Amino acid sequence: MQRSSPFAPAEVLIAIRGLRFVRGALTIFDGVDLDIPRGKITAIMGPSGTGKTTLLRLIGGQLRPQAGRIEIGGQCVHELGRRELYQLRKRMGMLFQSGALFTDLNVFENVAFPLREHTQLPENLIRTLALIKLESVGLRGARDLTPAQLSGGMARRVALARAIALDPMMIMYDEPFSGQDPISMGVLMKLIQTINDALGLTSIVVSHDVQETATIADYIYLISGGRVVEHGTPAQLGRSSSAWVEQFLHALPDGPVPFHYPAPDYEADLLAGQDL
Amino acid sequence: MIRWLQGLGRYGLARLTRLGRGNLFLLRLLGSLPFLFNRPRLLIVQLYSVGVLSLPIILVSSLFVGMVLGLQGYTNLVPYGAEASLGTLIALSLVRELGPVVAALLYAGRAGSALTAEIGLMKATEQLASMDMMAVDPFKRVLAPRFLAGFIAMPLLAGIFTAAGILGGYFVAVEQLGVDSGAFWSQMQASVDWREDVVNGVVIKSIVFGLVANWIAVFEGYDTVPTSAGIGRSTTRTVVNTSLAVLGLDYVLTALMFGGL
């Protein structure tokens, strides 16, 4: 199942080979190969329900694949014990779609949470670190608010500050733009880019917001029907000859993915009603 | 017919898998308890929320239960001129049965359902998953303190229920119906045995009920289907299953302790 990688081996942080994942009767991935390069923003795009979130959970070790390997920096994620997995996860950040802030803690305590759990730092240092992270997402002034008082976009920014609290080597974004107004979308795009460049980390963005994601991504994988359909830089994908890629990137209503759900013949279906 | 059998088999398998999941869950939960030695604050916060906040309902209900026992006992004992035994009747009913059982049922409704809903909502809003991704074990950080707090609170609540119930009975019997106060207390003292009645009744029963009630509550929350309907169903299941388990176990325990089996 070896596939020629578009990157040199030293560039690759996460290597996925022959990934197969089945949930119930549904095959979500069937032979997915992809490489996430270090220090870049890699986008994974595809229609709703193609298991993009599932892929992030597989990379984070919250789900186990039925076959294939997921290697992060040479370590196979699903072969690690809980202790080693937790060691690895301390170096991973993940931004959940909803933000997933702890509702019983205020904004400041949410950002301080990983620091308090994983370090023995004195209180004044924790305060300084948490405020630096909050400042970087522009919400230092919102430190005393509760998650319920935040808008969706602000909640995601707080969650982002929390995800980078321990200075991870990589960060995974699950649908960071969905349901955001244009301003908040712009803020998040800028943040993802700045944080990636400033902290020198590796970013994975899972999304189906084509334009926004294509603007910030260095490399894009398109997933559909359980496999990688196309991959390349945004410019390369723009020149792709595949009709499916064309339809997806330009949001055309009809194409290889039909507008109509499979149905019996329209005329016959309507006429069948006359006998009732 | 075949389809019916298939359905039965599927149902049985689903039940058994769930039971297995529940047992594995309990094992991992018990394994997470030592973590609380390092973080006693987590436990104290939960003790307040499941224990202290359950006190009002426990106190009010126990007073009423005791008062009803006093009234009922009095009307039934007076024809035999045995109203002096009212103290014994009230104390034994509460210590052996009503204290642990009713306290556990009230606990399931007040604290168990709240535990399930809270944990279920944390799961539905991905708080547990995000904690897990931050390399913080939700079993240690979220589930273990809640479980242990409930387990500690249950016997204490049962003890308070029993004591307050006896006071409620005393109030009706002595203050209102005129039973002799000395007879009330001395008969009670003479007939309630520490080991036979108090340890067997309030102590052991409520420890068992506390284990079961909190296990069910925490498991239902963790195992919930992460939707609003799912959380509703889990909360209901916590109250129903805890009540059934408590009443069923009460029969078994009573038979073992007092039934001469």
Side-chain angles (χ1 to χ4, degrees):
Chain A
M1 298 284 280
Q2 286 301 315
R3 184 182 58 90
S4 59
S5 167
F7 307 104
E11 278 185 298
V12 175
L13 177 66
I14 304 175
I16 299 178
R17 289 288 173 274
L19 177 71
R20 184 178 154 76
F21 183 74
V22 178
R23 182 179 277 158
L26 207 65
T27 305
I28 300 192
F29 297 118
D30 192 8
V32 166
D33 297 322
L34 49 84
D35 289 308
I36 310 281
R38 273 178 221 275
K40 299 263 168 60
I41 301 179
T42 305
I44 296 168
M45 294 201 269
S48 311
T50 36
K52 300 187 296 291
T53 304
T54 309
L55 184 64
L56 292 188
R57 292 188 157 230
L58 283 162
I59 295 175
Q62 286 191 323
L63 296 171
R64 299 172 68 85
Q66 269 79 18
R69 289 175 73 79
I70 300 173
E71 286 182 8
I72 301 182
Q75 282 181 301
C76 186
V77 178
H78 48 271
E79 284 170 4
L80 298 177
R82 198 194 308 280
R83 194 179 299 261
E84 295 153 317
L85 187 60
Y86 272 4
Q87 282 305 325
L88 181 64
R89 282 188 190 161
K90 283 182 195 170
R91 300 165 60 212
M92 291 174 153
M94 175 143 173
L95 187 70
F96 284 80
Q97 199 170 349
S98 59
L101 296 176
F102 302 129
T103 40
D104 53 338
L105 302 177
N106 67 15
V107 165
F108 176 85
E109 285 300 325
N110 261 288
V111 178
F113 181 86
L115 297 166
R116 290 194 199 288
E117 291 293 324
H118 292 308
T119 67
Q120 306 287 329
L121 296 175
E123 188 56 37
N124 58 353
L125 209 52
I126 286 185
R127 179 175 180 277
T128 311
L129 281 173
L131 289 184
I132 290 174
K133 303 298 173 190
L134 276 172
E135 173 73 17
S136 66
V137 297
L139 291 175
R140 186 166 48 86
R143 74 186 93 163
D144 294 324
L145 299 183
T146 63
Q149 293 170 299
L150 301 175
S151 71
M154 284 163 84
R156 272 178 224 188
R157 280 151 71 188
V158 174
L160 184 53
R162 185 177 67 177
I164 57 171
L166 289 173
D167 292 321
M169 62 171 178
M170 58 174 282
I171 183 159
M172 299 188 276
Y173 299 90
D174 186 4
E175 297 285 2
F177 309 119
S178 70
Q180 298 299 308
D181 63 60
I183 298 180
S184 157
M185 194 114 88
V187 169
L188 284 166
M189 279 166 64
K190 184 171 176 323
L191 274 177
I192 293 176
Q193 207 152 29
T194 338
I195 284 176
N196 190 77
D197 297 344
L199 300 181
L201 37 74
T202 303
S203 307
I204 306 173
V205 181
V206 147
S207 177
H208 50 228
D209 293 292
V210 177
Q211 292 313 321
E212 292 73 20
T213 314
T215 313
I216 56 169
D218 296 305
Y219 203 82
I220 299 177
Y221 285 92
L222 287 180
I223 296 188
S224 178
R227 38 181 62 245
V228 174
V229 181
E230 192 73 83
H231 60 96
T233 61
Q236 286 168 341
L237 283 188
R239 293 193 299 271
S240 168
S241 56
S242 151
W244 188 89
V245 173
E246 173 81 8
Q247 184 190 3
F248 186 79
L249 290 183
H250 297 104
L252 305 176
D254 211 350
V257 179
F259 171 70
H260 290 288
Y261 192 81
D265 182 61
Y266 189 36
E267 201 176 327
D269 211 5
L270 289 181
L271 290 175
Q274 289 183 333
D275 304 334
L276 295 178
Chain B
M1 181 65 188
I2 294 289
R3 184 164 296 181
W4 184 79
L5 279 176
Q6 277 178 340
L8 191 69
R10 213 175 4 248
Y11 178 79
L13 277 179
R15 281 289 143 139
L16 281 178
T17 340
R18 199 170 144 77
L19 190 66
R21 267 210 310 279
N23 283 309
L24 290 175
F25 174 88
L26 182 65
L27 277 183
R28 193 167 159 202
L29 193 59
L30 294 176
S32 308
L33 291 181
F35 167 78
L36 293 171
F37 281 114
N38 303 328
R39 300 286 294 274
R41 242 198 92 71
L42 291 175
L43 179 66
I44 292 167
V45 173
Q46 294 307 322
L47 268 175
Y48 178 79
S49 103
V50 296
V52 178
L53 295 183
S54 301
L55 269 181
I57 185 175
I58 290 284
L59 281 175
V60 173
S61 329
S62 62
L63 280 176
F64 279 119
V65 168
M67 283 156 68
V68 169
L69 273 178
L71 274 178
Q72 288 283 10
Y74 184 79
T75 29
N76 283 298
L77 289 175
V78 156
Y80 309 100
E83 66 269 24
S85 306
L86 203 50
T88 309
L89 176 96
I90 292 173
L92 283 183
S93 318
L94 280 165
V95 168
R96 286 185 176 187
E97 293 294 337
L98 293 174
V101 172
V102 180
L105 296 179
L106 292 171
Y107 178 87
R110 159 65 186 74
S113 57
L115 279 180
T116 305
E118 189 190 8
I119 295 171
L121 204 62
M122 287 181 87
K123 180 179 178 187
T125 52
E126 296 181 314
Q127 293 183 49
L128 293 182
S130 74
M131 197 177 271
D132 194 34
M133 277 305 296
M134 280 186 260
V136 176
D137 188 352
F139 268 80
K140 293 179 177 166
R141 186 66 174 60
V142 175
L143 304 181
R146 283 167 173 76
F147 173 78
L148 186 61
F151 184 63
I152 295 173
M154 187 70 249
L156 298 176
L157 290 172
I160 293 169
F161 186 98
T162 308
I166 291 174
L167 284 181
Y170 170 84
F171 177 73
V172 167
V174 177
E175 303 290 332
Q176 295 214 300
L177 302 172
V179 173
D180 179 61
S181 166
F184 183 88
W185 290 121
S186 64
Q187 291 243 7
M188 188 189 300
Q189 200 184 6
S191 55
V192 178
D193 183 66
W194 167 252
R195 268 201 62 170
E196 270 290 294
D197 301 314
V198 180
V199 172
N200 269 347
V202 174
V203 180
I204 295 183
K205 278 187 178 178
S206 63
I207 286 176
V208 174
F209 297 163
L211 176 77
V212 172
N214 289 293
W215 175 22
I216 292 178
V218 177
F219 175 68
E220 286 290 353
Y222 188 74
D223 203 51
T224 194
V225 179
T227 59
S228 21
I231 294 174
R233 269 200 307 275
S234 298
T235 314
T236 311
R237 262 209 306 267
T238 293
V239 178
V240 172
N241 289 354
T242 308
S243 308
L244 291 177
V246 163
L247 294 170
L249 278 172
D250 184 48
Y251 173 73
V252 175
L253 288 173
T254 306
L256 289 175
M257 291 164 175
F258 308 104
L261 284 182

